[in-house]
Amino acid sequence: MRFSVSSTALSSRLTALSRVINSKNSLPILGDFLFEIIDGRLHLTASDSEVMMKTSLELNETDSDGRFCVGNHDLLEAVKSISEQPISFEVNQTDNMARISYQNGMFSMPIENADEFPQPQQIGENAHTINISTQLLSDNINRSLFATAQDELRMVMNGIYFDLTPDCLAMVASDGHKLVRNKILNIKSDEPAAFILPKKPASLLKGVLGKNGGDVSIRFDERNAEIDYEDGIIICRLIEGRYPNYNSVIPQSNPNQLTVDRIGLLSALRRVQPFSNDSSNLIRFHVENGVLQLDAEDYDFSKTATERMSCDYNGMPMSIGFKGSSFIEILSNFDCDQVVIQLADPSRAGLVLPVEQPENQDVLMLMMPMLIND
């Protein structure tokens, strides 16, 4: 079997697929790429047994259909350093060898039987479907991923929760200390459905979703999801279990509201945070008479820092503590100029919202407070 393909096109596809493959695998074949030539097109697949990613590209030429597996590391390292040019594969399935030649050289490497490669998980007949624009899904994954947990005891927190209701599609992520809730108001369903997308396939989507429009189709049942995007398909096992009632932790009455420049507050927090205690990372927010004061202290090393900035505040004077690094993460994942911080009292969660919501969306981030000693 012979075929020829663009070196840069192959390299970009293999680089994306390589993120699926683990450094250590339960089965040796999971360290391979699956090559399948069907009707003049090359289909490439990688899997870790939980997540499978497929993509395809046009071949310059081919003499027959066929399939084989080849180790990911050596092939990727060799191909990605070849400048744009056709590279030719000559596959001998009797000897289980592949010879790859290009303008200035060649290399050969062993191949394995493609029949050993795992089959994709099947989506049940009772599957639900969500159609969402590529840009919208990419923005919401980017905005949510940082808030997912890494918790072996509460696995449901280790992913992004997609909650499809008659009102909207909500994408939620939380680690118990911070929470992101994105409502997409123009996607809804009379039949409620929900699933928890694990962090790994969400991260893969973050890396491969383009910015050139188009739609993504998500089909899912109780156990698996198939995500069909412009350049390929991701099939993954979902996290099973009941996601916590995220709406119950969001305070509904927040009479104290301050509006502040996002970049200014982010810069101030980055200056003040190094002076906070390493273990707690506590930053004290004090707001009164249109002035927000940030205080950090670490008495163990005799370090303190204070910074003041103007804000628009409507409420009672208040001091509240937040974890500095988490608040920096929250502000970094907005792309607006100004944010509104809504507060009820020092013992209840603070809400951070953009001054202007994106079109057909309702974005909210929540931060649990920390105890401060006045």
Side-chain angles (χ1 to χ4, degrees), residues 77-202:
E77 289 299 312
V79 169
K80 72 181 182 182
S81 61
I82 299 174
S83 59
E84 169 52 31
Q85 60 185 278
I87 57 175
S88 298
F89 284 69
E90 185 175 339
V91 181
N92 186 327
Q93 292 184 305
T94 303
D95 296 336
N96 290 324
M97 290 296 294
R99 184 178 187 271
I100 298 98
S101 56
Y102 51 101
Q103 185 176 353
N104 299 317
M106 61 79 61
F107 56 92
S108 62
M109 55 194 308
I111 62 172
E112 296 184 64
N113 188 343
D115 293 338
E116 298 179 15
F117 201 82
Q119 295 295 311
Q121 300 290 332
Q122 297 300 312
I123 307 296
E125 294 181 359
N126 59 341
H128 302 270
T129 302
I130 297 172
N131 291 308
I132 182 172
S133 77
T134 298
Q135 184 70 58
L136 194 55
L137 181 60
S138 177
D139 288 347
N140 281 280
I141 288 176
N142 290 344
R143 195 183 290 130
S144 305
L145 203 54
F146 81 96
T148 55
Q150 193 68 44
D151 192 333
E152 294 183 1
L153 298 178
R154 294 186 300 168
M155 296 296 293
V156 294
M157 309 296 284
N158 297 345
I160 299 176
Y161 182 54
F162 286 66
D163 188 15
L164 183 62
T165 70
D167 298 320
C168 66
L169 169 65
M171 293 174 59
V172 183
S174 177
D175 62 2
H177 302 286
K178 55 185 178 289
L179 177 145
V180 178
R181 187 198 66 190
N182 309 283
K183 284 185 177 180
I184 303 169
L185 304 175
N186 58 352
I187 298 178
K188 56 189 74 174
S189 172
D190 292 335
E191 185 180 355
F195 68 93
I196 306 171
L197 183 68
K199 188 179 298 186
K200 182 172 181 177

Side-chain angles (χ1 to χ4, degrees), residues 264 267-269 271-272 292-295 305-309:
S267 299
L269 282 169
R271 288 188 290 269
V272 170
L292 171 62
Q293 178 172 314
L294 305 174
D295 294 293
T306 297
E307 186 154 339
R308 298 177 184 87
M309 60 185 299

Side-chain angles (χ1 to χ4, degrees), residues 110-336:
I111 62 172
E112 296 184 64
N113 188 343
D115 293 338
E116 298 179 15
F117 201 82
Q119 295 295 311
Q121 300 290 332
Q122 297 300 312
I123 307 296
E125 294 181 359
N126 59 341
H128 302 270
T129 302
I130 297 172
N131 291 308
I132 182 172
S133 77
T134 298
Q135 184 70 58
L136 194 55
L137 181 60
S138 177
D139 288 347
N140 281 280
I141 288 176
N142 290 344
R143 195 183 290 130
S144 305
L145 203 54
F146 81 96
T148 55
Q150 193 68 44
D151 192 333
E152 294 183 1
L153 298 178
R154 294 186 300 168
M155 296 296 293
V156 294
M157 309 296 284
N158 297 345
I160 299 176
Y161 182 54
F162 286 66
D163 188 15
L164 183 62
T165 70
D167 298 320
C168 66
L169 169 65
M171 293 174 59
V172 183
S174 177
D175 62 2
H177 302 286
K178 55 185 178 289
L179 177 145
V180 178
R181 187 198 66 190
N182 309 283
K183 284 185 177 180
I184 303 169
L185 304 175
N186 58 352
I187 298 178
K188 56 189 74 174
S189 172
D190 292 335
E191 185 180 355
F195 68 93
I196 306 171
L197 183 68
K199 188 179 298 186
K200 182 172 181 177
S203 299
L204 291 170
L205 280 169
K206 178 181 176 180
V208 299
L209 289 178
K211 304 296 183 183
N212 51 357
D215 284 346
V216 177
S217 174
I218 305 173
R219 290 181 62 243
F220 63 96
D221 58 19
E222 295 82 4
R223 294 191 173 186
N224 303 295
E226 180 180 287
I227 304 164
D228 195 337
Y229 58 98
E230 184 182 21
D231 291 330
I233 298 173
I234 291 176
I235 302 168
C236 64
R237 187 163 292 160
L238 301 173
I239 298 174
E240 296 184 46
R242 182 181 293 275
Y243 202 81
N245 182 359
Y246 57 89
N247 286 312
S248 67
V249 302
I250 300 173
Q252 299 303 309
S253 176
N254 305 285
N256 305 293
Q257 298 196 25
L258 71 98
T259 304
V260 66
D261 179 74
R262 181 182 69 90
I263 298 298
L265 178 56
L266 184 58
S267 299
L269 282 169
R270 285 174 172 158
R271 288 188 290 269
V272 170
Q273 184 203 3
F275 296 88
S276 65
N277 182 275
D278 287 341
S279 59
S280 68
N281 207 223
L282 171 66
I283 305 291
R284 179 178 178 268
F285 286 59
H286 180 78
V287 59
E288 185 176 2
N289 297 327
V291 176
L292 171 62
Q293 178 172 314
L294 305 174
D295 294 293
E297 56 191 23
D298 186 352
Y299 289 132
D300 292 340
F301 294 93
S302 302
K303 298 189 300 182
T304 62
T306 297
E307 186 154 339
R308 298 177 184 87
M309 60 185 299
S310 61
C311 67
D312 183 6
Y313 183 59
N314 178 21
M316 299 290 291
M318 184 184 297
S319 292
I320 187 170
F322 291 113
K323 186 173 183 177
S325 58
S326 294
F327 215 99
I328 286 172
E329 283 184 310
I330 283 177
L331 293 175
S332 299
N333 282 280
F334 281 107
D335 55 7
C336 55

